[in-house]
């Protein structure tokens, strides 16, 4: 959210304008919020999660005022340096908005080669010449969505001089190669053998610096500043070549206007950066975690200890769940921890209601493997609810003037019926892994509460209805069912539907006690569903997803939309590279086909079966002088696509690579550029049918929904354990104390925050964990000895 937003230049005050926020990696926008109506205290309330696919210097948040007849006006920004992100991670902070100054909007880096040579001047004295070579630049920003026309100026700056020289302009590129060398005369006063005739130019080399500025050539308009770097001449040794990359910085003399009146932006950031070692380093840790399901009791296993130590951190179980899923060890582990939880559950009607290790693990599993199941089951009806936006308020206190409660009740009834039917008729789409878990839970619950006929259903419905479908209806954005959070009115409708679905889902498992409902208006609404035989439908559905009957694997898999969005597509069959041959298209990929459309919702202009995709790879920027391009290689001709930003490009490559990774006709090599002028531009081979010159990206994983990098998950687990060594030590002390003393009751209370059934077994596992962690830390230390310095 933002508050106290200041005025922007123009005829309108900010309170009369609508605002929105954007998220940028340096100067590249990767996300934007919805527009918030007229307010100087807008609450955006949006969440964005993304992998960062490239190096960057700043993560920036811009607030814009929406222009009607003119361009959007920047109100202010918050820029956080990459090195500082960890300071704010996991925190909720208010940040002062800073002015958006063109001289501070920079990104990219420049490669320089510098040398200081001793020379003899015409007067017989010793002087020095400075050689500065600009080799290349990388990752310069897009200007108005297009590559810039960059050039560089090189200056030797001191108290009494400022010599400047300029490179040629490079057309339409973000990674220009200059390869230009410049010479400057440098003279030190101490080097003269006789009195100099140039007293004004006598300079101390300590005060000289090399300044390199990057500019975008705008032809008729004023050139745009892209960034600068300053290097002190004193770091150069005589006749020694200094070759280094330097990050571009904001202009040193950038205007420092007051920012007090621009307002504030409230952000909650979570930033995770792990250094992932080679696979062999993680083998001992993975083996220790993967044997957890076989450890007796389960509380003495490494995976349970990890969950026990981080019981207050909900996300800590996720890397462990991914690791167990990938190695097919999840079901035995979660069955064991569920059995342990049931042993400590006294009443059947409280089964799996808490935030335990079992419920956290199953929640994470359902989000990972049930993503496409949710999309098939709920997305069409959620889209209809959000797009039609019918009023469904039935709370008398919240009704607006002119609302008809009977009409609203009817609207809500129709929506609930559609959602309920979609769920109860979806059993054939339920992923087999979820069915295996539900079957195990059902069996364990029946065994624990023999005399309760409903417990077999409540064990399953407490997950599939309460923690899966009802939560997805309430927050479709969190489950990728919608791109933005719904408006307040639609959010209220989804809340009412979610409440109803939770209750309907529990009818098949618990006795019908409608008198227990808090709201009388909901009591009246629920009564209308009793005649629909909802209980039988819920029971039938729960039976189907948790019974011992194996599901037919031969059924036709439903088409699931994995990703869609606007892109620039190169027109097929065109030989010239003009801008007009790139068209805006709506690209859509399902687990069956890739298609592009003129606009969202329109008929497909072209449909490609994913089975025909031979490779999906990045395309060199030089091919069309465009960033964020990729190619879908087909037998006829490749499809060239430009994504909106680097995050989008990375996501398209990942999704398309997943759906085509098992194709029989996949290529092992590809061309990283295009075929033009009678040759491939990457390898200069003149045959259009020549095999590729680069190896294709290796795609090993066969399961679309379990695209898991085990090394990365193991490193995340190591990072979590390393940051909580004190808790591990406390648990170790508790085990030692209990094993030695078989302690009195007061000692048991002291260690009640840990689950320790067998102190000796648990102590042994903790010792193994500590040994594994020490070795991993040693591996990290050996790789971190050399710290990269600025300009290295």
């Amino acid at each position: 959210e933002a508050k106290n937003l200041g005025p922007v230049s123009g005829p309108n005050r900010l309170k009369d304008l609508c605002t929105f926020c954007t998220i940028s990696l340096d100067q590249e926008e990767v996300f934007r919020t919805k527009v918030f109506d007229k307010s100087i205290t807008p609450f955006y309330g949006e969440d964005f999660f993304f992998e960062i696919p490239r190096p960057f210097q700043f993560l920036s948040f811009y607030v814009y005022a929406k222009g009607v007849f003119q361009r959007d006006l920047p109100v202010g920004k918050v820029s956080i340096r990459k090195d500082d992100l960890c300071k704010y991670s996991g925190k909720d902070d208010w940040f002062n908005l800073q002015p958006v100054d063109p001289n501070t909007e920079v990104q990219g880096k420049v490669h320089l080669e510098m040398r200081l040579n001793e020379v003899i001047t015409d007067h017989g004295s010793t002087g020095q010449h400075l050689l500065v070579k600009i080799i290349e630049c990388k990752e310069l920003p897009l200007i108005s969505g297009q590559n810039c026309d960059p050039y560089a100026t090189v200056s030797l700056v001191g108290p009494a001089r400022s010599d400047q020289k300029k490179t040629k302009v490079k057309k339409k590129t973000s990674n220009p190669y200059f390869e230009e060398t410049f010479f400057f005369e440098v003279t030190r006063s101490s080097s003269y053998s006789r009195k100099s005739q140039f007293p004004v130019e006598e300079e101390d080399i300590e005060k000289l610096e090399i300044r390199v500025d990057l500019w975008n050539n705008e032809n008729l308009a004023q050139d745009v500043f892209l960034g600068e770097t300053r290097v002190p001449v004193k770091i150069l040794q005589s006749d020694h070549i200094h070759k280094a990359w330097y990050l571009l910085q904001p202009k040193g003399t950038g205007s420092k206007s007051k920012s007090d009146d621009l307002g504030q932006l409230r952000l909650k950031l979570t930033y995770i950066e792990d250094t992932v070692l080679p696979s062999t380093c993680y083998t001992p840790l993975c083996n220790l975690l993967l044997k957890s399901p076989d450890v007796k009791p389960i509380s003495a296993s490494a995976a349970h200890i990890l969950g026990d130590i981080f019981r207050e951190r909900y996300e800590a179980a996720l890397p462990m769940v991914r690791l167990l899923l990938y190695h097919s060890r999840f079901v035995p582990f979660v069955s064991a921890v569920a059995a342990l939880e049931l042993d400590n559950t006294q009443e059947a009607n409280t089964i799996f209601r808490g935030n335990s290790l079992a419920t956290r693990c199953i929640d994470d599993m359902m989000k990972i493997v049930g993503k496409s199941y949710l999309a098939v089951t709920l997305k069409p009806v959620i889209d209809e609810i959000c797009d039609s936006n019918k009023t469904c308020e039935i709370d008398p206190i919240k009704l607006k003037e002119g609302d008809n409660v009977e009409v609203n009740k009817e609207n809500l009834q129709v929506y609930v019926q559609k959602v309920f039917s979609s769920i109860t008729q979806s059993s054939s789409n339920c992923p087999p892994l979820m069915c295996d878990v539900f079957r195990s839970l059902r069996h364990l619950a029946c065994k624990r509460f023999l005399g309760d006929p409903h417990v077999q259903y409540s064990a399953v419905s407490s997950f599939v209805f309460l923690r899966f479908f009802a939560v997805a209806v309430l927050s479709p954005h969190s489950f990728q069912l919608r791109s933005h959070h719904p408006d307040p009115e639609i959010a209220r409708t989804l809340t009412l539907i979610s409440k109803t679905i939770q209750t309907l889902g529990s009818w098949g498992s618990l006795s019908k006690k409608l008198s227990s409902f808090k709201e009388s208006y909901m009591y009246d609404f629920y009564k209308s569903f009793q005649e629909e035989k909802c209980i039988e439908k819920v029971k039938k559905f729960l039976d189907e997803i948790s019974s011992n009957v194996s599901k037919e694997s031969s059924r036709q898999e439903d088409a699931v939309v994995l990703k869609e969005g606007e892109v620039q597509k190169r027109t097929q069959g065109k030989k010239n590279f003009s801008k007009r041959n790139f068209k805006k298209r709506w690209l859509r990929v399902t687990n069956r086909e890739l298609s592009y459309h003129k606009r969202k919702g329109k008929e497909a202009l072209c449909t490609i079966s994913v089975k025909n995709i031979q490779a999906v790879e990045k395309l060199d920027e030089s091919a069309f002088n465009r960033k964020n391009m990729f190619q879908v290689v087909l037998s006829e001709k490749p499809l060239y696509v430009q994504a909106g930003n680097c995050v989008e490009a990375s996501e398209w490559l990942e999704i398309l690579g997943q759906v085509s990774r098992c194709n029989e006709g996949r290529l092992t090599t590809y061309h990283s550029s295009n075929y033009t002028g009678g040759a491939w531009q990457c390898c200069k081979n003149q045959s259009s049918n020549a095999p590729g010159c680069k190896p294709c990206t290796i795609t090993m994983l066969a399961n679309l929904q379990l695209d898991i990098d085990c090394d990365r998950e193991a490193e995340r687990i190591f990072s979590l354990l390393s940051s909580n060594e004190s808790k591990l030590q406390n648990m170790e002390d508790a085990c030692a104390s209990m094993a030695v003393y078989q302690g009195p009751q007061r000692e048991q209370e002291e260690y009640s925050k840990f689950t320790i059934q067998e102190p000796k077994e648990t102590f042994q596992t903790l010792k193994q964990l500590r040994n594994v962690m020490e070795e991993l830390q040693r591996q990290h230390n050996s790789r971190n000895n050399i710290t990269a310095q600025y300009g290295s």
Side-chain angles (χ1 to χ4, degrees):
E1 64 176 317
K3 67 181 178 183
N4 305 325
L5 293 180
V8 292
S9 56
N12 297 320
R13 300 287 295 173
L14 191 62
K15 64 183 179 182
D16 299 325
L17 293 175
C18 304
T19 59
F20 63 92
C21 287
T22 66
I23 305 174
S24 296
L25 290 172
D26 296 324
Q27 293 308 292
E28 185 175 14
E29 181 187 318
V30 292
F31 289 107
R32 66 169 55 193
T33 66
K34 288 193 296 188
V35 177
F36 196 91
D37 282 342
K38 303 172 183 179
S39 172
I40 60 169
T41 56
F43 183 82
Y44 301 107
E46 298 248 20
D47 304 316
F48 298 97
F49 169 83
F50 61 105
E51 299 284 327
I52 297 176
R54 64 168 179 81
F56 71 103
Q57 294 181 57
F58 289 93
L59 179 66
S60 300
F61 303 83
Y62 293 80
V63 179
Y64 285 93
K66 186 73 180 168
V68 182
F69 301 113
Q70 55 184 338
R71 64 186 179 85
D72 300 330
L73 299 168
V75 177
K77 69 172 181 179
V78 172
S79 282
I80 303 173
R81 193 181 289 276
K82 181 189 174 186
D83 298 342
D84 295 334
L85 281 172
C86 291
K87 295 179 192 173
Y88 303 106
S89 185
K91 296 176 185 173
D92 187 326
D93 289 294
W94 282 99
F95 295 86
N96 288 326
L97 288 173
Q98 303 298 320
V100 179
D101 176 2
N103 287 334
T104 65
E105 308 293 290
V106 302
Q107 76 172 62
K109 55 189 177 181
V110 59
H111 195 188
L112 302 178
E113 184 180 303
M114 294 163 285
R115 185 173 185 169
L116 205 56
N117 293 328
E118 292 279 349
V119 294
I120 305 297
T121 68
D122 294 339
H123 305 286
S125 59
T126 305
Q128 289 180 313
H129 276 179
L130 174 65
L131 173 151
V132 180
K133 182 178 183 181
I134 299 188
I135 302 171
E136 62 176 317
C137 287
K138 283 192 175 174
E139 297 153 18
L140 294 179
L142 298 177
I143 304 292
S144 303
Q146 299 296 320
N147 281 326
C148 53
D149 294 337
Y151 70 90
T153 59
V154 185
S155 308
L156 181 63
V157 182
R161 69 188 289 172
S162 181
D163 301 340
Q164 188 179 89
K165 299 179 181 184
K166 178 180 167 183
T167 68
K168 293 174 183 173
V169 175
K170 300 295 178 181
K171 292 289 185 182
K172 301 297 173 203
T173 176
S174 298
N175 301 312
Y177 277 88
F178 292 109
E179 292 287 346
E180 293 193 44
T181 305
F182 302 97
F183 293 93
F184 297 92
E185 191 172 330
V186 181
T187 307
R188 274 198 274 191
S189 56
S190 60
S191 67
Y192 284 98
S193 55
R194 63 173 185 259
K195 191 176 179 182
S196 171
Q197 64 187 60
F198 303 111
V200 178
E201 276 78 15
E202 286 183 11
E203 291 178 291
D204 186 351
I205 200 168
E206 298 286 320
K207 297 177 182 176
L208 290 176
E209 68 178 5
I210 303 154
R211 194 180 80 211
V212 178
D213 294 81
L214 267 294
W215 300 85
N216 178 44
N217 181 41
E218 286 280 350
N219 292 325
L220 300 176
Q222 185 177 353
D223 290 352
V224 176
F225 174 76
L226 300 177
E228 72 171 22
T229 191
R230 295 170 180 249
V231 184
V233 174
K234 66 183 178 184
I235 70 165
L236 305 179
Q237 300 170 8
S238 292
D239 297 323
H240 177 74
I241 295 175
H242 179 79
K243 200 171 181 178
W245 281 96
Y246 286 89
L247 294 174
L248 293 173
Q249 302 292 324
K251 187 170 280 189
T253 56
S255 60
K256 304 288 183 185
S257 56
K258 289 184 180 178
S259 57
D260 299 344
D261 57 348
L262 295 180
Q264 292 181 302
L265 189 65
R266 181 179 164 211
L267 304 168
K268 183 172 183 182
L269 303 173
T270 303
Y271 176 70
I272 295 172
E273 181 180 309
D274 288 324
T275 303
V276 183
L277 303 174
S279 299
T280 50
C281 299
Y282 298 110
T283 303
L285 177 60
C286 288
N287 289 343
L288 192 57
L289 289 163
L290 294 174
K291 73 175 186 181
S292 294
D294 306 322
V295 175
K296 301 285 190 276
I298 191 67
S299 61
S301 68
H304 193 284
I305 287 170
L306 180 69
D308 217 19
I309 284 173
F310 297 106
R311 63 175 67 182
E312 75 285 355
R313 288 184 61 179
Y314 196 89
E315 79 285 356
L318 184 59
M320 180 180 72
V321 168
R322 286 182 174 144
L323 207 60
L324 292 168
L325 280 173
Y326 184 80
H327 291 280
S328 303
R329 300 289 284 156
F330 179 78
V331 177
F333 175 74
V334 87
S335 298
V337 294
L340 177 61
E341 182 177 336
L342 285 169
D343 287 344
N344 297 318
T345 304
Q346 303 307 317
E347 296 182 30
N349 60 359
T350 61
I351 191 169
F352 298 127
R353 291 301 171 98
N355 179 23
S356 64
L357 179 59
T359 57
R360 279 184 289 158
C361 288
I362 296 170
D363 279 356
D364 285 335
M365 176 276 294
M366 292 192 296
K367 285 178 183 174
I368 295 167
V369 305
K371 195 187 291 185
S372 62
Y373 178 35
L374 274 180
V376 169
T377 309
L378 289 183
K379 194 173 190 323
V381 66
I382 294 286
D383 285 343
E384 182 189 336
I385 292 165
C386 293
D387 295 339
S388 61
N389 194 15
K390 292 178 181 175
T391 309
C392 297
E393 186 55 73
I394 57 172
D395 183 351
I397 299 170
K398 294 187 178 181
L399 286 171
K400 294 178 184 175
E401 193 176 340
D403 279 354
N404 185 324
V405 71
E406 288 304 317
V407 172
N408 291 0
K409 189 175 177 180
E410 195 176 314
N411 291 338
L412 184 59
Q413 213 161 0
V414 170
Y415 284 155
V416 169
Q417 196 59 59
K418 284 187 176 182
V419 172
F420 182 71
S421 298
S422 295
I423 293 169
T424 53
Q425 293 169 16
S426 70
S427 60
S428 62
N429 291 319
C430 187
L433 187 72
M434 285 174 65
C435 295
D436 290 344
V437 171
F438 295 152
R439 184 159 54 248
S440 175
L441 295 176
R442 182 174 180 164
H443 170 72
L444 290 167
C446 289
K447 191 176 168 186
R448 173 70 178 86
F449 297 100
L450 291 170
D452 192 324
H454 297 298
V455 76
Q456 59 177 319
Y457 295 113
S458 61
V460 179
S461 69
S462 60
F463 287 103
V464 74
F465 277 101
L466 273 64
R467 292 173 174 268
F468 188 57
F469 285 120
V471 181
V473 169
L474 187 66
S475 182
H477 172 260
S478 303
F479 291 82
Q480 289 84 51
L481 299 176
R482 297 287 290 181
S483 56
H484 290 283
H485 280 303
D487 294 328
E489 207 168 293
I490 297 169
R492 174 63 180 161
T493 299
L494 294 175
T495 301
L496 293 171
I497 296 169
S498 178
K499 277 185 176 183
T500 316
I501 292 300
Q502 282 188 49
T503 308
L504 289 173
S506 65
W507 277 5
S509 54
L510 306 172
S511 55
K512 296 176 286 178
K513 293 182 180 177
L514 292 174
S515 58
S516 64
F517 298 142
K518 293 177 185 175
E519 308 99 334
S520 57
Y521 63 88
M522 291 303 278
Y523 172 86
D524 295 333
F525 179 69
Y526 288 130
K527 280 199 299 187
S528 62
F529 283 94
Q530 284 183 281
E531 299 168 8
E532 300 287 335
K533 297 186 178 178
C534 292
I535 300 170
E536 286 74 12
K537 289 181 181 179
V538 169
K539 282 186 175 180
K540 181 174 180 289
F541 169 68
L542 295 173
D543 280 335
E544 288 169 347
I545 63 171
S546 62
S547 65
N548 288 319
V549 181
S550 60
K551 290 168 36 174
E552 292 183 28
S553 57
S554 60
R555 66 178 176 80
Q556 181 65 40
E557 191 178 3
D558 291 301
V560 181
V561 178
L562 301 171
K563 183 169 175 61
E564 55 183 339
E566 191 174 78
V567 298
Q568 293 270 356
K569 183 198 73 70
R570 164 130 174 94
T571 306
Q572 296 298 290
K574 298 289 184 182
K575 293 189 177 175
N576 59 36
F577 298 140
S578 67
K579 186 178 172 183
R580 68 171 182 265
N581 285 330
F582 278 88
K583 304 282 188 187
K584 275 188 181 178
R585 292 291 180 254
W586 188 263
L587 195 64
R588 187 171 184 262
V589 61
T590 72
N591 50 336
R592 292 184 191 165
E593 60 192 29
L594 172 68
S595 58
Y596 56 83
H597 314 245
K598 197 162 189 178
R599 282 187 299 279
K600 185 180 181 180
K602 295 289 184 183
E603 288 293 314
L605 298 173
C606 177
T607 301
I608 301 160
S609 171
V610 295
K611 292 179 181 176
N612 296 332
I613 296 175
Q614 297 178 329
V616 185
E617 299 291 344
K618 288 181 180 177
L619 193 69
D620 285 350
E621 182 197 312
S622 57
F624 298 104
N625 280 329
R626 287 171 176 249
K627 290 179 83 171
N628 304 322
M629 286 206 66
F630 63 92
Q631 55 182 321
V632 181
V633 182
L634 307 165
S635 55
E636 325 80 65
K637 53 174 77 79
L639 176 68
Y640 296 125
V641 180
Q642 182 185 26
N645 56 59
C646 60
V647 173
E648 282 282 303
S650 178
E651 288 176 358
W652 280 116
L653 282 164
E654 184 183 356
I655 294 291
L656 288 165
Q658 285 174 3
V659 294
S660 62
R661 60 168 41 119
C662 295
N663 289 353
E664 288 181 11
R666 267 193 82 89
L667 299 176
T668 54
T669 58
Y670 76 102
H671 290 286
S672 60
S673 192
N674 56 336
Y675 184 84
T676 181
W680 289 100
Q681 296 308 297
C682 42
C683 58
K684 306 306 177 188
N685 195 313
Q686 296 182 358
S687 169
S688 60
N689 297 320
C693 53
K694 281 190 175 180
C696 286
T697 306
I698 298 171
T699 50
M700 301 285 285
L701 308 176
N703 188 331
L704 174 63
Q705 287 151 9
L706 297 185
D707 187 22
I708 292 165
D709 182 341
C710 291
D711 297 340
R712 180 172 164 173
E713 304 307 334
E715 175 58 35
R716 186 90 288 270
I717 291 168
F718 166 71
S719 296
L720 286 165
L721 289 169
S722 296
S723 61
N724 285 268
E725 277 195 81
S726 58
K727 288 187 179 179
L728 281 172
Q729 187 61 56
N730 290 343
M731 195 173 191
E732 216 170 286
D733 293 344
C735 290
S737 177
M738 291 169 69
V740 173
Y741 300 113
Q742 295 297 317
Q745 191 60 39
R746 63 178 185 278
E747 293 203 8
Q748 186 66 35
E749 284 175 10
E750 190 180 336
Y751 304 125
S752 61
K753 53 190 163 185
F754 303 121
T755 308
I756 302 173
Q757 292 174 289
E758 290 287 340
K760 289 182 180 176
E761 280 287 330
T762 309
F763 186 80
Q764 285 303 316
T765 305
L766 284 163
K767 271 185 69 176
Q768 290 174 302
L769 260 178
R770 190 174 290 284
N771 292 339
V772 166
M773 285 172 60
E774 284 172 0
E775 177 56 27
L776 269 172
Q777 189 59 58
R778 194 186 65 75
Q779 295 275 4
H780 274 286
N781 293 342
S782 66
R783 286 169 170 80
N784 292 340
N785 284 341
I786 301 167
T787 306
Q789 298 296 318
Y790 180 75
S792 62

